[in-house]
Amino acid sequence: MVDADVGILHPGAMGAQVAAQAVAAGARVWWLPRGRSAATRERAAELGLRPAGSMGELTAQCTVVLSVCPPAAALDVARQVAAAGFSGVYVDANAVSPGRMAQIAEVWDGTGARLVDAGITGPPPRQAGTTRLYLSGDDVTVARVRALFDGTVLTPVVLAGPVGRASALKLAFAAYNKISYALAAEACALADGHGVLDELRDLAAHLLPGTPLAGPEQLASAGHRAWRWEPEMREIAEAWRGVGLPGAFADAAAETFEQWRDHKDDRTVTSDRLIADLRDL
């Protein structure tokens, strides 16, 4: 069992389940309820998270802080934690580019804190074998973070090498996985415009089973997550350009997901609605 005080910023759908695994391992996990929704407060209470009154209280209490937030907020969250005087282990588990991670590393220069780069792949961890936590950075510090999740359903995987490697792997996987949803939606919109959407779905079910193109329910699942995926696509585009590649695929996917922002957290939205949104431009 782990004997540690850990902070989580901020426990959304993914962050809450990551925090739950630390709780299951024996850690005391703290969060900031101020300004959060009633649903988030209820979820945190159900998972055994402990409320802190301020960022200063949380950072003074915790030796490890996990940042699991939308990528557009990652740098700002790091700055807030640093401004509170945190000097422990800061784990940035956001979908950010290696370039953005370098900016986050600059925040911690000279503070005495140690940074671990983390990348979460898979759904919120609720059962074994579905979700991995890739970690890169200083070996000793990475080993400490890995120990928080050993034996839980969130599988820690250590990547040898510096900060930035975990983020690069996360975004490379997300580029293929999430852009496939945007591509499927655009293909469906094309077929719908020519009156052959049902035929496309039948063809995809025959030749590409298990893909968003073949499964309307699978495609629909992107709708309530698109508000998070859009800024992630921007990070992917930056990461591609950082190695001399064009970022056009990710830019285009970001534009697709942007059309679905109004469906944030709406799990009732259908694939037909998402396709109609694209055709209504």
Side-chain angles (χ1 to χ4, degrees):
M1 296 291 286
V2 173
D3 182 16
D5 286 278
V6 177
I8 179 71
L9 303 168
H10 294 279
M14 179 64 79
Q17 290 303 319
V18 170
Q21 299 314 307
V23 171
R28 296 168 294 278
V29 180
W30 302 79
W31 76 295
L32 292 176
R34 182 180 300 170
R36 300 296 156 182
S37 68
T40 300
R41 290 169 179 264
E42 181 178 348
R43 178 169 52 211
E46 290 175 351
L47 295 175
L49 308 190
R50 304 181 182 205
S54 66
M55 183 68 80
E57 180 182 334
L58 183 144
T59 56
Q61 184 70 40
C62 298
T63 56
V64 177
V65 169
L66 305 170
S67 175
V68 186
C69 64
L75 182 56
D76 186 54
V77 169
R79 287 169 174 161
Q80 291 174 22
V81 178
F86 182 64
S87 59
V89 176
Y90 186 80
V91 184
D92 191 289
N94 301 304
V96 297
S97 69
R100 188 81 61 221
M101 186 58 67
Q103 292 178 317
I104 291 169
E106 289 178 2
V107 170
W108 297 105
D109 283 348
T111 64
R114 287 142 293 167
L115 173 64
V116 170
D117 175 21
I120 304 169
T121 60
R126 293 186 175 88
Q127 59 186 21
T130 63
T131 312
R132 293 183 176 184
L133 177 68
Y134 286 93
L135 304 167
S136 67
D138 171 74
D139 290 346
V140 174
T141 310
V142 164
R144 182 175 172 185
V145 176
R146 182 195 63 203
L148 286 175
F149 299 102
D150 278 338
T152 73
V153 300
L154 176 60
T155 304
V157 180
V158 174
L159 296 177
V163 162
R165 295 198 76 219
S167 288
L169 178 60
K170 159 69 177 177
L171 291 197
F173 179 75
Y176 177 83
N177 185 43
K178 293 173 183 175
I179 289 176
S180 68
Y181 284 82
L183 182 58
E186 296 288 353
C188 287
L190 170 62
D192 189 44
H194 290 276
V196 292
L197 178 57
D198 288 342
E199 289 79 4
L200 175 64
R201 285 170 169 165
D202 178 70
L203 176 61
H206 176 61
L207 294 179
L208 299 172
T211 67
L213 189 63
E217 297 80 8
Q218 188 175 351
L219 178 57
S221 71
H224 69 90
R225 298 180 287 182
W227 69 277
R228 290 188 287 109
W229 288 7
E230 182 269 331
E232 188 171 339
M233 294 301 108
R234 306 295 184 191
E235 294 290 326
I236 290 171
E238 180 181 321
W240 264 331
R241 294 183 180 110
V243 292
L245 297 170
F249 277 131
D251 287 333
E255 292 178 10
T256 296
F257 295 139
E258 174 68 25
Q259 306 311 312
W260 300 337
R261 289 186 70 86
D262 289 345
H263 301 303
K264 177 181 178 180
D265 297 333
D266 178 9
R267 295 177 181 271
T268 67
V269 67
T270 65
S271 61
D272 287 343
R273 176 68 262 171
L274 299 182
I275 293 165
D277 288 344
L278 299 183
R279 295 199 60 208
D280 287 345
L281 296 180

